[in-house]
Amino acid sequence: MIVVFGGAFNPPTIAHEAVARHLLRQEFCKSLLFLPVGDAYPKPGLVPVSHRVEMLGLACIGLENAKVSLVEAECLEPLPTLKSLERIQSGYPGHEVSFVVGADNLLGLHTWFKWETLLSKFYPIVFRRDGIDIDSLIEKHFSCFRDRFIILSDFSGMAVSSTAYRGCLDNDSMVSGPIGSYIKRHHLYGR
């Protein structure tokens, strides 16, 4: 199975790398694709996607079977998750594709573009975290798709986020050494 891990990655943190390592250790995961949102994504404060792609490339050096997908990076408009995954699927005929969705995003998943098609074609991967009752949410909103969800329970998250990194100029331990060096070399995030 191809696992797609999407996000802004603004910047990629040690927590993103830990999630990727955990996913790559799962028996079902043949390959992992980081999927950074493109420049057209409506999120304030994003550094250009070219930098985020380069930083994710640095993260992939230490992650066997991990790559960066340019599906959204090369698109001039924001793509819904379904469209991105369909494009990725076309590059991996014969492979099933799954996507990581945050437990906190389950509440709004039913508002995503063609969410029923999304769940019927691709497998959502959800990590148990923050005391969110994933089972109840899935049963309440997605009972028809219950068997499509892959729920991972054995991962202890980190209190690290891209937002926290951007807001704390004196704590570079939230990113790996190569990514920290890249950020400083290119004067990103006020460094």
Side-chain angles (χ1 to χ4, degrees):
M1 181 177 287
I2 309 300
V3 175
V4 178
F5 182 11
F9 303 108
N10 190 38
T13 66
I14 58 172
H16 293 125
E17 292 183 44
V19 167
R21 267 192 298 283
H22 185 72
L23 288 164
L24 286 162
R25 283 193 294 266
Q26 303 306 308
E27 191 173 308
F28 61 80
C29 182
K30 175 184 166 81
S31 180
L32 180 131
L33 295 176
F34 285 108
L35 179 66
V37 297
D39 289 331
Y41 189 76
K43 187 171 185 172
L46 280 178
V47 300
V49 72
S50 58
H51 287 303
R52 292 181 284 117
V53 165
E54 287 296 322
M55 290 185 283
L56 285 168
L58 292 171
C60 288
I61 291 170
L63 297 169
E64 189 175 342
N65 296 322
K67 298 181 210 171
V68 182
S69 170
L70 301 178
V71 164
E72 292 187 14
E74 293 176 341
C75 194
L76 299 177
E77 60 187 22
L79 285 176
T81 301
L82 174 63
K83 296 291 184 189
S84 295
L85 294 177
E86 287 174 339
R87 290 182 184 188
I88 288 169
Q89 176 75 70
S90 70
Y92 293 90
H95 292 281
E96 293 180 320
V97 173
S98 61
F99 66 102
V100 178
V101 60
D104 54 334
N105 289 323
L106 278 182
L107 285 171
L109 185 60
H110 65 284
T111 66
W112 290 19
F113 175 77
K114 296 187 177 181
W115 67 271
E116 290 158 318
T117 304
L118 175 68
L119 295 181
S120 66
K121 291 177 85 170
F122 305 104
Y123 294 88
I125 299 173
V126 185
F127 288 88
R128 291 194 189 280
R129 61 174 248 205
D130 301 331
I132 297 171
D133 188 350
I134 293 169
D135 301 295
S136 292
L137 285 172
I138 292 171
E139 194 56 42
K140 180 177 180 181
H141 298 289
F142 313 107
S143 59
C144 292
F145 299 99
R146 176 68 182 98
D147 294 339
R148 306 285 296 170
F149 282 83
I150 299 169
I151 300 171
L152 298 179
S153 301
D154 56 347
F155 178 75
S156 55
M158 302 176 159
V160 172
S161 71
S162 297
T163 303
Y165 174 82
R166 291 191 309 271
C168 184
L169 293 177
D170 62 351
N171 188 351
D172 290 331
S173 65
M174 294 183 197
V175 297
S176 68
I179 291 174
S181 296
Y182 181 93
I183 288 169
K184 289 176 184 167
R185 188 168 55 254
H186 294 279
H187 308 287
L188 305 175
Y189 310 112
R191 267 101 174 150

